[in-house]
Amino acid sequence: MDSPDEAIDPATAFGALSDPTRVEIIEALADTHRERPGNPTLPFSELRKCVGVRDSGRFLYHLKKLRGHFVEKTDEGYRLNYAGVEMASAILAGTYTGRETLGPVELDSACSECGETAIGAYEDGVLSVSCDNDHPLFQWGVPPTAAADATVEELLELATVLVHRAVELALLGTCPKCYDSISTAVRPVEPEVGEEEVVPRFHAVCETCGAQLLGPIGFCLLSHPEVNALYNRHGRSVRTSYLWELEFAQNDGSLVNERDDDRLRLTFRLEGEELSVTIDDTAHATETTRRTVE
């Protein structure tokens, strides 16, 4: 069985995939990993047969190029290691090669800035929503494989789930991309030309992989139990609503008041109820106050 080595140079690792035969080896082992998750190993002869290479010497040459990077050898044969599984997923998802375009299409929703119809579109792995007045409402990366047989509306459902998951992980201190540590913060965003207010925003950047989360300060309340309970009482769901339709997750600086200790209070109303949530400088909610309003 292969033993762990020191960290490998990324250029060397990706260079190991420079031949089509090696990509086919990854794909063959990925099929086995999917079909037999409890025993995803293939003997040399069976793996060579799956790839369709007659010359065993030539096949072994390519297999050795993958070992230590994406493939490991066991007593029973060969299988993908963790990096191999991740690479296979990226290959099959079309992350680096897929090109899908959907839309633009009008959505059953209005722009939270001006009231115009929200318009969604997907191109080169990015799902975005805006309106005819170019107000940005939403943007998220979605793999091309998810867009192959989907509508823009279906991609938005998926992306909404991904945003909730990413924010929850970030608030727990885990990067949603590489799973290293990440910290969240409240950062002010300078106003654009013609605007006056500086709006505080939810912000998280991973120093390891560079993943970045940037959104309304209300993003930190997406999984807050009292916020979710409030929406449930009024027949709405935080988890399935378009994010720009959530009253607490809009780019509205008037919802936020600063406190003397540098904490913020975000206050919003939903029908006859008002909820105020105190948020510290790490974008975590610390206390809430609810009252009935006319």
PDB file of all heavy atoms in Angstrom, residues 38-60:
ATOM      1  N   GLY A  38     -17.930   0.466  -1.094  1.00  0.00           N
ATOM      2  CA  GLY A  38     -17.300  -0.280  -0.012  1.00  0.00           C
ATOM      3  C   GLY A  38     -16.000  -0.935  -0.404  1.00  0.00           C
ATOM      4  O   GLY A  38     -15.163  -1.254   0.451  1.00  0.00           O
ATOM      5  N   ASN A  39     -15.803  -1.131  -1.708  1.00  0.00           N
ATOM      6  CA  ASN A  39     -14.573  -1.765  -2.213  1.00  0.00           C
ATOM      7  C   ASN A  39     -14.241  -1.175  -3.584  1.00  0.00           C
ATOM      8  O   ASN A  39     -14.385  -1.833  -4.623  1.00  0.00           O
ATOM      9  CB  ASN A  39     -14.758  -3.287  -2.305  1.00  0.00           C
ATOM     10  CG  ASN A  39     -13.492  -3.979  -2.796  1.00  0.00           C
ATOM     11  OD1 ASN A  39     -12.384  -3.490  -2.580  1.00  0.00           O
ATOM     12  ND2 ASN A  39     -13.660  -5.114  -3.466  1.00  0.00           N
ATOM     13  N   PRO A  40     -13.777   0.067  -3.627  1.00  0.00           N
ATOM     14  CA  PRO A  40     -13.557   0.768  -4.900  1.00  0.00           C
ATOM     15  C   PRO A  40     -12.207   0.479  -5.555  1.00  0.00           C
ATOM     16  O   PRO A  40     -11.627   1.356  -6.192  1.00  0.00           O
ATOM     17  CB  PRO A  40     -13.655   2.228  -4.479  1.00  0.00           C
ATOM     18  CG  PRO A  40     -13.083   2.243  -3.104  1.00  0.00           C
ATOM     19  CD  PRO A  40     -13.491   0.939  -2.469  1.00  0.00           C
ATOM     20  N   THR A  41     -11.688  -0.732  -5.380  1.00  0.00           N
ATOM     21  CA  THR A  41     -10.354  -1.080  -5.879  1.00  0.00           C
ATOM     22  C   THR A  41     -10.457  -1.965  -7.120  1.00  0.00           C
ATOM     23  O   THR A  41     -11.297  -2.863  -7.184  1.00  0.00           O
ATOM     24  CB  THR A  41      -9.555  -1.810  -4.792  1.00  0.00           C
ATOM     25  OG1 THR A  41      -9.494  -0.990  -3.626  1.00  0.00           O
ATOM     26  CG2 THR A  41      -8.139  -2.109  -5.261  1.00  0.00           C
ATOM     27  N   LEU A  42      -9.587  -1.698  -8.103  1.00  0.00           N
ATOM     28  CA  LEU A  42      -9.514  -2.520  -9.311  1.00  0.00           C
ATOM     29  C   LEU A  42      -8.117  -3.107  -9.456  1.00  0.00           C
ATOM     30  O   LEU A  42      -7.125  -2.374  -9.333  1.00  0.00           O
ATOM     31  CB  LEU A  42      -9.838  -1.691 -10.561  1.00  0.00           C
ATOM     32  CG  LEU A  42     -11.296  -1.374 -10.856  1.00  0.00           C
ATOM     33  CD1 LEU A  42     -11.395  -0.504 -12.104  1.00  0.00           C
ATOM     34  CD2 LEU A  42     -12.108  -2.642 -11.034  1.00  0.00           C
ATOM     35  N   PRO A  43      -8.011  -4.427  -9.737  1.00  0.00           N
ATOM     36  CA  PRO A  43      -6.707  -5.022 -10.033  1.00  0.00           C
ATOM     37  C   PRO A  43      -6.127  -4.405 -11.311  1.00  0.00           C
ATOM     38  O   PRO A  43      -6.865  -3.874 -12.140  1.00  0.00           O
ATOM     39  CB  PRO A  43      -7.030  -6.512 -10.236  1.00  0.00           C
ATOM     40  CG  PRO A  43      -8.341  -6.709  -9.558  1.00  0.00           C
ATOM     41  CD  PRO A  43      -9.092  -5.421  -9.710  1.00  0.00           C
ATOM     42  N   PHE A  44      -4.830  -4.493 -11.456  1.00  0.00           N
ATOM     43  CA  PHE A  44      -4.143  -3.879 -12.596  1.00  0.00           C
ATOM     44  C   PHE A  44      -4.763  -4.318 -13.921  1.00  0.00           C
ATOM     45  O   PHE A  44      -5.084  -3.487 -14.780  1.00  0.00           O
ATOM     46  CB  PHE A  44      -2.655  -4.254 -12.561  1.00  0.00           C
ATOM     47  CG  PHE A  44      -1.870  -3.730 -13.729  1.00  0.00           C
ATOM     48  CD1 PHE A  44      -1.337  -2.452 -13.718  1.00  0.00           C
ATOM     49  CD2 PHE A  44      -1.664  -4.524 -14.862  1.00  0.00           C
ATOM     50  CE1 PHE A  44      -0.602  -1.974 -14.792  1.00  0.00           C
ATOM     51  CE2 PHE A  44      -0.938  -4.049 -15.945  1.00  0.00           C
ATOM     52  CZ  PHE A  44      -0.402  -2.766 -15.908  1.00  0.00           C
ATOM     53  N   SER A  45      -4.935  -5.636 -14.117  1.00  0.00           N
ATOM     54  CA  SER A  45      -5.432  -6.154 -15.394  1.00  0.00           C
ATOM     55  C   SER A  45      -6.848  -5.677 -15.688  1.00  0.00           C
ATOM     56  O   SER A  45      -7.184  -5.352 -16.832  1.00  0.00           O
ATOM     57  CB  SER A  45      -5.378  -7.692 -15.404  1.00  0.00           C
ATOM     58  OG  SER A  45      -6.148  -8.225 -14.345  1.00  0.00           O
ATOM     59  N   GLU A  46      -7.689  -5.641 -14.652  1.00  0.00           N
ATOM     60  CA  GLU A  46      -9.075  -5.206 -14.844  1.00  0.00           C
ATOM     61  C   GLU A  46      -9.140  -3.719 -15.144  1.00  0.00           C
ATOM     62  O   GLU A  46      -9.932  -3.284 -15.997  1.00  0.00           O
ATOM     63  CB  GLU A  46      -9.887  -5.536 -13.598  1.00  0.00           C
ATOM     64  CG  GLU A  46     -11.385  -5.332 -13.777  1.00  0.00           C
ATOM     65  CD  GLU A  46     -12.177  -5.760 -12.559  1.00  0.00           C
ATOM     66  OE1 GLU A  46     -11.626  -6.511 -11.718  1.00  0.00           O
ATOM     67  OE2 GLU A  46     -13.349  -5.343 -12.444  1.00  0.00           O
ATOM     68  N   LEU A  47      -8.308  -2.939 -14.459  1.00  0.00           N
ATOM     69  CA  LEU A  47      -8.262  -1.504 -14.715  1.00  0.00           C
ATOM     70  C   LEU A  47      -7.782  -1.225 -16.138  1.00  0.00           C
ATOM     71  O   LEU A  47      -8.346  -0.377 -16.841  1.00  0.00           O
ATOM     72  CB  LEU A  47      -7.346  -0.822 -13.692  1.00  0.00           C
ATOM     73  CG  LEU A  47      -7.145   0.692 -13.835  1.00  0.00           C
ATOM     74  CD1 LEU A  47      -8.477   1.430 -13.793  1.00  0.00           C
ATOM     75  CD2 LEU A  47      -6.216   1.206 -12.739  1.00  0.00           C
ATOM     76  N   ARG A  48      -6.758  -1.948 -16.575  1.00  0.00           N
ATOM     77  CA  ARG A  48      -6.244  -1.765 -17.943  1.00  0.00           C
ATOM     78  C   ARG A  48      -7.318  -2.110 -18.971  1.00  0.00           C
ATOM     79  O   ARG A  48      -7.459  -1.431 -19.993  1.00  0.00           O
ATOM     80  CB  ARG A  48      -5.000  -2.631 -18.148  1.00  0.00           C
ATOM     81  CG  ARG A  48      -4.372  -2.501 -19.541  1.00  0.00           C
ATOM     82  CD  ARG A  48      -2.984  -3.113 -19.567  1.00  0.00           C
ATOM     83  NE  ARG A  48      -3.020  -4.536 -19.318  1.00  0.00           N
ATOM     84  CZ  ARG A  48      -3.172  -5.474 -20.272  1.00  0.00           C
ATOM     85  NH1 ARG A  48      -3.325  -5.111 -21.539  1.00  0.00           N
ATOM     86  NH2 ARG A  48      -3.174  -6.750 -19.958  1.00  0.00           N
ATOM     87  N   LYS A  49      -8.092  -3.141 -18.702  1.00  0.00           N
ATOM     88  CA  LYS A  49      -9.163  -3.541 -19.606  1.00  0.00           C
ATOM     89  C   LYS A  49     -10.242  -2.462 -19.687  1.00  0.00           C
ATOM     90  O   LYS A  49     -10.768  -2.169 -20.772  1.00  0.00           O
ATOM     91  CB  LYS A  49      -9.772  -4.859 -19.143  1.00  0.00           C
ATOM     92  CG  LYS A  49     -10.851  -5.403 -20.069  1.00  0.00           C
ATOM     93  CD  LYS A  49     -11.367  -6.744 -19.550  1.00  0.00           C
ATOM     94  CE  LYS A  49     -12.466  -7.276 -20.461  1.00  0.00           C
ATOM     95  NZ  LYS A  49     -12.988  -8.582 -19.954  1.00  0.00           N
ATOM     96  N   CYS A  50     -10.573  -1.863 -18.546  1.00  0.00           N
ATOM     97  CA  CYS A  50     -11.583  -0.803 -18.522  1.00  0.00           C
ATOM     98  C   CYS A  50     -11.152   0.397 -19.352  1.00  0.00           C
ATOM     99  O   CYS A  50     -11.968   1.031 -20.026  1.00  0.00           O
ATOM    100  CB  CYS A  50     -11.850  -0.371 -17.087  1.00  0.00           C
ATOM    101  SG  CYS A  50     -12.739  -1.567 -16.081  1.00  0.00           S
ATOM    102  N   VAL A  51      -9.866   0.714 -19.287  1.00  0.00           N
ATOM    103  CA  VAL A  51      -9.344   1.879 -20.021  1.00  0.00           C
ATOM    104  C   VAL A  51      -9.132   1.546 -21.490  1.00  0.00           C
ATOM    105  O   VAL A  51      -9.168   2.428 -22.355  1.00  0.00           O
ATOM    106  CB  VAL A  51      -8.044   2.386 -19.365  1.00  0.00           C
ATOM    107  CG1 VAL A  51      -7.454   3.553 -20.133  1.00  0.00           C
ATOM    108  CG2 VAL A  51      -8.320   2.804 -17.919  1.00  0.00           C
ATOM    109  N   GLY A  52      -8.891   0.277 -21.799  1.00  0.00           N
ATOM    110  CA  GLY A  52      -8.742  -0.135 -23.189  1.00  0.00           C
ATOM    111  C   GLY A  52      -7.346   0.027 -23.751  1.00  0.00           C
ATOM    112  O   GLY A  52      -7.174   0.304 -24.946  1.00  0.00           O
ATOM    113  N   VAL A  53      -6.325  -0.144 -22.903  1.00  0.00           N
ATOM    114  CA  VAL A  53      -4.925  -0.055 -23.355  1.00  0.00           C
ATOM    115  C   VAL A  53      -4.354  -1.469 -23.414  1.00  0.00           C
ATOM    116  O   VAL A  53      -4.323  -2.178 -22.403  1.00  0.00           O
ATOM    117  CB  VAL A  53      -4.087   0.816 -22.403  1.00  0.00           C
ATOM    118  CG1 VAL A  53      -2.617   0.828 -22.858  1.00  0.00           C
ATOM    119  CG2 VAL A  53      -4.636   2.240 -22.363  1.00  0.00           C
ATOM    120  N   ARG A  54      -3.905  -1.898 -24.592  1.00  0.00           N
ATOM    121  CA  ARG A  54      -3.396  -3.261 -24.743  1.00  0.00           C
ATOM    122  C   ARG A  54      -1.984  -3.433 -24.201  1.00  0.00           C
ATOM    123  O   ARG A  54      -1.659  -4.459 -23.623  1.00  0.00           O
ATOM    124  CB  ARG A  54      -3.426  -3.652 -26.227  1.00  0.00           C
ATOM    125  CG  ARG A  54      -4.830  -3.780 -26.801  1.00  0.00           C
ATOM    126  CD  ARG A  54      -4.762  -4.297 -28.218  1.00  0.00           C
ATOM    127  NE  ARG A  54      -6.113  -4.499 -28.771  1.00  0.00           N
ATOM    128  CZ  ARG A  54      -6.344  -4.997 -29.987  1.00  0.00           C
ATOM    129  NH1 ARG A  54      -5.324  -5.340 -30.767  1.00  0.00           N
ATOM    130  NH2 ARG A  54      -7.582  -5.148 -30.410  1.00  0.00           N
ATOM    131  N   ASP A  55      -1.156  -2.431 -24.385  1.00  0.00           N
ATOM    132  CA  ASP A  55       0.256  -2.510 -23.981  1.00  0.00           C
ATOM    133  C   ASP A  55       0.344  -2.301 -22.464  1.00  0.00           C
ATOM    134  O   ASP A  55       0.151  -1.189 -21.959  1.00  0.00           O
ATOM    135  CB  ASP A  55       1.054  -1.440 -24.728  1.00  0.00           C
ATOM    136  CG  ASP A  55       2.557  -1.561 -24.506  1.00  0.00           C
ATOM    137  OD1 ASP A  55       2.958  -2.081 -23.458  1.00  0.00           O
ATOM    138  OD2 ASP A  55       3.315  -1.115 -25.384  1.00  0.00           O
ATOM    139  N   SER A  56       0.653  -3.370 -21.728  1.00  0.00           N
ATOM    140  CA  SER A  56       0.703  -3.270 -20.273  1.00  0.00           C
ATOM    141  C   SER A  56       1.820  -2.350 -19.796  1.00  0.00           C
ATOM    142  O   SER A  56       1.689  -1.665 -18.784  1.00  0.00           O
ATOM    143  CB  SER A  56       0.861  -4.659 -19.647  1.00  0.00           C
ATOM    144  OG  SER A  56       2.074  -5.250 -20.073  1.00  0.00           O
ATOM    145  N   GLY A  57       2.955  -2.338 -20.531  1.00  0.00           N
ATOM    146  CA  GLY A  57       4.063  -1.463 -20.155  1.00  0.00           C
ATOM    147  C   GLY A  57       3.683   0.003 -20.277  1.00  0.00           C
ATOM    148  O   GLY A  57       3.998   0.819 -19.393  1.00  0.00           O
ATOM    149  N   ARG A  58       3.028   0.337 -21.375  1.00  0.00           N
ATOM    150  CA  ARG A  58       2.584   1.717 -21.584  1.00  0.00           C
ATOM    151  C   ARG A  58       1.545   2.111 -20.535  1.00  0.00           C
ATOM    152  O   ARG A  58       1.565   3.225 -20.002  1.00  0.00           O
ATOM    153  CB  ARG A  58       1.987   1.857 -22.986  1.00  0.00           C
ATOM    154  CG  ARG A  58       1.327   3.203 -23.273  1.00  0.00           C
ATOM    155  CD  ARG A  58       0.945   3.325 -24.743  1.00  0.00           C
ATOM    156  NE  ARG A  58       0.085   4.468 -24.958  1.00  0.00           N
ATOM    157  CZ  ARG A  58      -1.235   4.424 -24.992  1.00  0.00           C
ATOM    158  NH1 ARG A  58      -1.857   3.262 -24.813  1.00  0.00           N
ATOM    159  NH2 ARG A  58      -1.947   5.505 -25.205  1.00  0.00           N
ATOM    160  N   PHE A  59       0.635   1.193 -20.220  1.00  0.00           N
ATOM    161  CA  PHE A  59      -0.399   1.475 -19.225  1.00  0.00           C
ATOM    162  C   PHE A  59       0.222   1.690 -17.845  1.00  0.00           C
ATOM    163  O   PHE A  59      -0.157   2.609 -17.123  1.00  0.00           O
ATOM    164  CB  PHE A  59      -1.408   0.327 -19.177  1.00  0.00           C
ATOM    165  CG  PHE A  59      -2.550   0.586 -18.248  1.00  0.00           C
ATOM    166  CD1 PHE A  59      -3.538   1.488 -18.572  1.00  0.00           C
ATOM    167  CD2 PHE A  59      -2.626  -0.069 -17.017  1.00  0.00           C
ATOM    168  CE1 PHE A  59      -4.603   1.740 -17.698  1.00  0.00           C
ATOM    169  CE2 PHE A  59      -3.674   0.173 -16.146  1.00  0.00           C
ATOM    170  CZ  PHE A  59      -4.653   1.081 -16.496  1.00  0.00           C
ATOM    171  N   LEU A  60       1.190   0.859 -17.491  1.00  0.00           N
ATOM    172  CA  LEU A  60       1.852   0.988 -16.197  1.00  0.00           C
ATOM    173  C   LEU A  60       2.576   2.321 -16.094  1.00  0.00           C
ATOM    174  O   LEU A  60       2.588   2.945 -15.019  1.00  0.00           O
ATOM    175  CB  LEU A  60       2.838  -0.167 -15.990  1.00  0.00           C
ATOM    176  CG  LEU A  60       3.607  -0.163 -14.654  1.00  0.00           C
ATOM    177  CD1 LEU A  60       2.638  -0.240 -13.483  1.00  0.00           C
ATOM    178  CD2 LEU A  60       4.602  -1.321 -14.612  1.00  0.00           C
TER     179      LEU A  60
END
